[in-house]
Amino acid sequence: MPERALHQTSTTERGAFCLARCACGWTGMARRARSQARTDAERHLAAVRGTDGTDPGRPVE
């Protein structure tokens, strides 16, 4: 799955905040809870796969 390779997520910490990032260029909101940043990344991947009914071309908010 070449498209899957374009979507490798990770979390990054900046001071007291954590945010999710993806190899495709997507960046989630800064969160104080690491678990919420990981959830943002999971939602992004789900949107890319289209499993949650959202448009894969739209950024997940």
Side-chain angles (χ1 to χ4, degrees):
M1 281 190 262
E3 183 175 323
R4 175 81 176 172
L6 296 175
H7 295 282
Q8 299 282 326
T9 58
S10 62
T11 56
T12 304
E13 293 190 25
R14 286 195 177 163
F17 294 94
C18 186
L19 55 113
R21 293 179 179 250
C22 183
C24 74
W26 172 86
T27 302
M29 295 180 3
R31 306 284 192 171
R32 288 196 182 267
R34 288 181 192 96
S35 61
Q36 186 60 52
R38 286 190 296 266
T39 299
D40 291 344
E42 291 169 6
R43 288 181 179 162
H44 169 68
L45 292 176
V48 169
R49 289 189 303 259
T51 59
D52 63 354
T54 62
D55 178 6
R58 275 188 62 212
V60 176
E61 297 179 1

